[in-house]
Amino acid sequence: DALLVAVALAPTNAHSLSTLSTALQLNGQLEEALAFASAAAATDPLSLAAHNNHGLLLAKVGRHEDAIREAYIVGLRLDPQDNELLCNLAVSTAELGKFQSAASIFEAVIARDPAHVRAAESLVALRPFLKME
């Protein structure tokens, strides 16, 4: 309730919108969470976190193409080196059946950061699917 009040009092506060989005997601209200995540990204178009959260929610409801186009690519235009956005882009790319493209993205993250555990583990998990493409 406090978050709803905060958003009502300051509807253009991206942090409040994102926090409400996260709370709604944890409560299983994905469509409502997605609406507030989208609003947060629109309110603060320079926030990588807002774009990433928006993309994660789009992906969670199965809208991987939208996650890529509306969130991850937008965030990567702000910072093309953001490993979290790149990994999330790769996951959605793989979910669309574009396994080689996803692998290439994970490999780019690993080339820049050889200790990036998520990218390395995801690349290993993706290997069996590369033969299917």
Side-chain angles (χ1 to χ4, degrees):
D1 288 339
L3 286 171
L4 289 171
V5 171
V7 168
L9 292 173
T12 59
N13 183 306
H15 180 73
S16 294
L17 291 165
S18 287
T19 304
L20 178 56
S21 171
T22 300
L24 289 167
Q25 179 184 354
L26 292 172
N27 198 35
Q29 297 171 273
L30 295 181
E31 290 300 326
E32 295 88 345
L34 179 56
F36 284 103
S38 177
T43 299
D44 188 357
L46 299 179
S47 171
L48 294 177
H51 292 299
N52 192 48
N53 186 46
H54 184 210
L56 288 170
L57 280 160
L58 285 165
K60 193 163 195 155
V61 298
R63 294 173 52 190
H64 294 283
E65 288 178 0
D66 293 336
I68 291 168
R69 183 181 59 253
E70 297 176 21
Y72 302 141
I73 296 297
V74 174
L76 287 166
R77 283 188 189 126
L78 298 170
D79 182 359
Q81 305 300 313
D82 187 282
N83 286 337
E84 186 172 358
L85 282 166
L86 286 165
C87 284
N88 292 335
L89 170 65
V91 169
S92 280
T93 300
E95 288 292 335
L96 293 172
K98 299 174 183 176
F99 304 119
Q100 186 57 54
S101 294
S104 295
I105 297 166
F106 286 129
E107 288 167 350
V109 171
I110 294 166
R112 233 184 359 267
D113 180 3
H116 198 282
V117 175
R118 180 178 176 213
E121 290 175 352
S122 296
L123 185 58
V124 168
L126 194 59
R127 291 273 184 228
F129 297 97
L130 295 175
K131 298 172 186 164
M132 299 170 56
E133 207 171 14

